[in-house]
């Protein structure tokens, strides 16, 4: 690699810098946040330019607790937030009860001003609630996809790792935001820079928008060797939970006999196709019981059971408790007690608002990788467009 020499980057924000704001919700996931910020930091380091700056926000300006119990101090409250080019909602645990009307209103106002709005992990649920994903394609952590689809049918949900659709960008959780931001870096600047950032993080490849979460398949395929036709059958099952497909029809769809289908399930999943299909439907039902206010009768129908008593019997047999008891454990009155926070904001000057990027870039000047990517004419200085 050829090192680019030149003047040290200015600590001030220039027109070429994309300003990214991260809105932390209570119990956000730290890994999703880090997977988003780190590629921005490394893009600055490798280009020796402040291509990105980032600003962490909470509603009140007080620290927010992550799902792992660690507390993160933000840069400011929503009221004192600076002008931003992109806003990322950082979701996490129990997303349906961890956002406020003030946060929703703030996001709506920023979106009306043309700011690019996105979300990581379960944060897409908040954008959907705000009406900012109506008509858009959307990715979210698999755990909240069910309730997102049920509550916001105008949103085009998918099981992809991430989705970039015009001025909306959404990602599932874990390390998936890394791939999304690497893709955004490639689009705004160059694939050369994006690949170099990927190399620095020891990523064997940059996953694309076409990559699926396939969580259920990965859980049962730890040993590898899945048959493609088995994968196709499971996808059909996952996409047809409300109106289950007969096993004979499933076999016809993938061009195998029913007996072959049963052998594949027993060999690779150690269960029958019927039992696996039932488990998928019960898992969906459990998510709806925990995350939605749908009645047991509605959930029974939404998960393809012929009657509520049949659903209850199956649920108790395979989950170990009744649907109503499951709901009582989750939707207790204790869970609805609001957390009262006293406002106590610390004033911050404009020059300090985006200090993270400048400090990290200045510290990186002694690193061997500093300015190691010659972007040449590939570097675009415009605000992100895709």
């Amino acid at each position: 690699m050829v090192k680019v020499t030149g003047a040290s980057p200015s600590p001030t924000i220039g027109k070429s810098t994309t300003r990214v704001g991260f809105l932390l919700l209570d119990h956000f996931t730290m890994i999703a946040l880090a997977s988003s910020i780190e590629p921005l930091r490394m893009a600055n380091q490798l280009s020796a330019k402040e291509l990105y700056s980032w600003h962490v926000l909470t509603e009140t300006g007080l620290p927010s607790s992550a799902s792992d119990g660690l507390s993160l101090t933000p840069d400011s409250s929503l009221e004192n937030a600076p002008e931003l080019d992109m806003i990322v909602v950082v979701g996490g645990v129990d997303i349906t009860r961890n956002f406020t009307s003030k946060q929703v209103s703030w996001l709506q106002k920023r979106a009306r001003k043309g700011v690019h709005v996105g979300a990581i992990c379960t944060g897409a649920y908040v954008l959907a609630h705000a009406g900012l994903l109506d008509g858009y394609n959307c990715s979210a952590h698999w755990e909240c996809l069910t309730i997102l689809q049920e509550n916001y049918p105008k949103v085009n949900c998918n099981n992809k790792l991430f989705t970039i659709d015009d001025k909306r960008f959404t990602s599932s959780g874990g390390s998936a935001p890394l791939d999304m931001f690497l893709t955004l870096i490639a689009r705004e600047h160059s694939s050369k820079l994006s690949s170099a950032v990927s190399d620095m993080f020891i990523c064997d490849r940059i996953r694309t928008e076409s990559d699926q979460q396939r969580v259920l398949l990965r859980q049962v395929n730890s040993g590898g060797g899945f048959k493609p036709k088995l994968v196709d059958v499971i996808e059909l099952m996952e996409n047809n939970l409300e109106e289950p497909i007969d096993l004979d029809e499933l076999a016809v769809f993938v061009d195998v006999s029913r007996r072959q289908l049963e052998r594949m399930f027993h060999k690779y999943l150690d269960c029958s196709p019927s039992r696996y299909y039932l488990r998928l439907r019960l898992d969906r039902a459990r998510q709806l019981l925990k995350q939605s206010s749908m009645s047991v009768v509605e959930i029974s129908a939404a998960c393809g059971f012929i009657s509520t008593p049949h659903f209850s019997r199956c649920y108790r047999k395979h989950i170990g408790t009744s649907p109503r008891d499951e709901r009582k454990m989750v939707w207790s009155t204790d869970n609805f007690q609001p957390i009262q926070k006293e406002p106590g904001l610390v004033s911050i000057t404009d020059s300090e608002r985006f200090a993270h990027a400048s400090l990290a870039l200045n510290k990186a000047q002694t690193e061997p990788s500093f300015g190691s990517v010659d972007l040449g004419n590939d570097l675009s200085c415009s605000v992100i467009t895709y």
Side-chain angles (χ1 to χ4, degrees), residues 229-230 233 246-265 273:
K229 289 185 182 296
L230 183 56
V233 171
D246 181 80
L247 294 186
D248 289 322
E249 291 184 72
L250 286 172
V252 171
F253 282 141
V254 297
D255 195 26
V256 298
S257 68
R258 175 166 177 156
R259 186 165 179 77
Q260 286 177 305
L261 183 63
E262 290 173 340
R263 282 201 299 263
M264 283 193 294
F265 269 86

Side-chain angles (χ1 to χ4, degrees), residues 299-369:
I299 293 173
S300 172
C303 297
F305 290 91
I306 58 176
S307 68
T308 304
H310 178 233
F311 167 56
S312 296
R313 287 195 301 271
C314 291
Y315 199 92
R316 182 184 292 276
K317 179 179 179 180
H318 294 276
I319 305 299
T321 186
S322 71
R324 297 187 188 282
D325 288 341
E326 181 84 85
R327 168 153 285 173
K328 287 178 182 177
M329 287 188 289
V330 177
W331 296 91
S332 64
T333 54
D334 292 339
N335 291 331
F336 291 96
Q337 297 301 319
I339 298 175
Q340 301 295 330
K341 297 180 179 179
E342 294 295 331
L345 304 180
V346 179
S347 60
I348 183 170
T349 64
D350 290 340
S351 61
E352 295 172 321
R353 287 184 182 274
F354 292 98
H356 308 293
S358 298
L359 290 174
L361 194 58
N362 289 336
K363 289 181 179 179
Q365 286 182 326
T366 58
E367 292 289 327
S369 61

Side-chain angles (χ1 to χ4, degrees), residues 189-228:
H189 300 293
S190 73
S191 57
K192 184 177 182 180
L193 176 59
S194 179
S195 296
V197 173
S198 177
D199 288 341
M200 290 295 289
F201 294 142
I202 325 296
C203 296
D204 58 346
R205 74 180 182 95
I206 300 175
R207 295 174 293 182
T208 69
E209 290 180 81
S210 62
D211 281 286
Q212 302 284 318
Q213 293 187 58
R214 288 197 181 281
V215 174
L216 292 173
L217 295 186
R218 287 173 182 165
Q219 287 176 342
V220 298
N221 190 32
S222 57
F226 245 0
K227 291 287 187 182

Side-chain angles (χ1 to χ4, degrees), residues 56-322:
V56 179
L57 304 160
T58 61
E59 179 177 333
T60 63
L62 294 174
S64 179
S65 294
S67 58
D68 58 9
L70 296 179
S71 182
L72 195 152
T73 301
D75 300 303
S76 72
S77 65
L78 298 184
E79 185 178 351
N80 293 336
E83 291 300 315
L84 300 164
D85 301 308
M86 300 171 62
I87 295 171
V88 184
V89 179
V90 187
V93 177
D94 201 13
I95 187 63
T96 60
R97 290 176 283 182
N98 273 324
F99 64 95
T100 67
S101 57
K102 182 176 180 180
Q103 292 166 341
V104 169
S105 177
W106 184 80
L107 289 167
Q108 291 169 332
K109 290 178 182 178
R110 292 296 175 118
R112 285 196 293 268
K113 292 181 179 181
V115 176
H116 293 241
V117 180
I120 55 178
C121 196
T122 60
Y125 187 91
V126 180
L127 295 185
H129 184 83
L132 299 178
L133 291 179
D134 288 355
Y136 287 94
N137 296 312
C138 163
S139 298
H141 192 283
W142 61 268
E143 191 176 33
C144 83
L145 272 179
T146 297
I147 189 61
L148 202 160
Q149 291 172 318
E150 290 291 337
N151 287 355
Y152 307 105
K154 293 182 180 180
V155 180
N156 303 322
C157 297
N158 59 55
N159 195 43
K160 296 178 181 178
L161 289 177
F162 65 91
T163 300
I164 302 171
D165 189 356
D166 194 29
K167 292 185 177 182
R168 302 290 182 266
F169 52 99
T170 51
S171 169
S172 55
S175 61
L178 172 63
D179 299 281
M180 181 175 72
F181 276 92
L182 287 172
T183 300
L184 291 173
I185 290 170
R187 293 189 182 189
E188 186 179 10
H189 300 293
S190 73
S191 57
K192 184 177 182 180
L193 176 59
S194 179
S195 296
V197 173
S198 177
D199 288 341
M200 290 295 289
F201 294 142
I202 325 296
C203 296
D204 58 346
R205 74 180 182 95
I206 300 175
R207 295 174 293 182
T208 69
E209 290 180 81
S210 62
D211 281 286
Q212 302 284 318
Q213 293 187 58
R214 288 197 181 281
V215 174
L216 292 173
L217 295 186
R218 287 173 182 165
Q219 287 176 342
V220 298
N221 190 32
S222 57
F226 245 0
K227 291 287 187 182
K229 289 185 182 296
L230 183 56
V231 173
D232 293 339
V233 171
I234 293 176
E235 285 185 341
L236 283 169
M237 289 178 172
E238 291 174 346
N239 294 326
N240 294 274
L241 299 180
E242 186 170 354
E243 297 181 4
I245 303 175
D246 181 80
L247 294 186
D248 289 322
E249 291 184 72
L250 286 172
V252 171
F253 282 141
V254 297
D255 195 26
V256 298
S257 68
R258 175 166 177 156
R259 186 165 179 77
Q260 286 177 305
L261 183 63
E262 290 173 340
R263 282 201 299 263
M264 283 193 294
F265 269 86
H266 280 292
K267 179 178 179 179
Y268 294 101
L269 301 175
D270 196 28
C271 69
S272 67
S274 299
R275 188 178 181 84
Y276 188 86
Y277 209 166
L278 175 61
R279 186 68 199 202
L280 288 178
R281 291 156 58 204
L282 289 173
D283 285 343
R284 169 69 65 85
R286 193 176 194 188
Q287 290 177 337
L288 291 175
L289 285 167
K290 289 187 171 186
Q291 300 174 5
S292 79
S293 58
M294 294 171 64
S295 69
V296 174
V297 174
E298 291 173 323
I299 293 173
S300 172
C303 297
F305 290 91
I306 58 176
S307 68
T308 304
H310 178 233
F311 167 56
S312 296
R313 287 195 301 271
C314 291
Y315 199 92
R316 182 184 292 276
K317 179 179 179 180
H318 294 276
I319 305 299
T321 186
S322 71

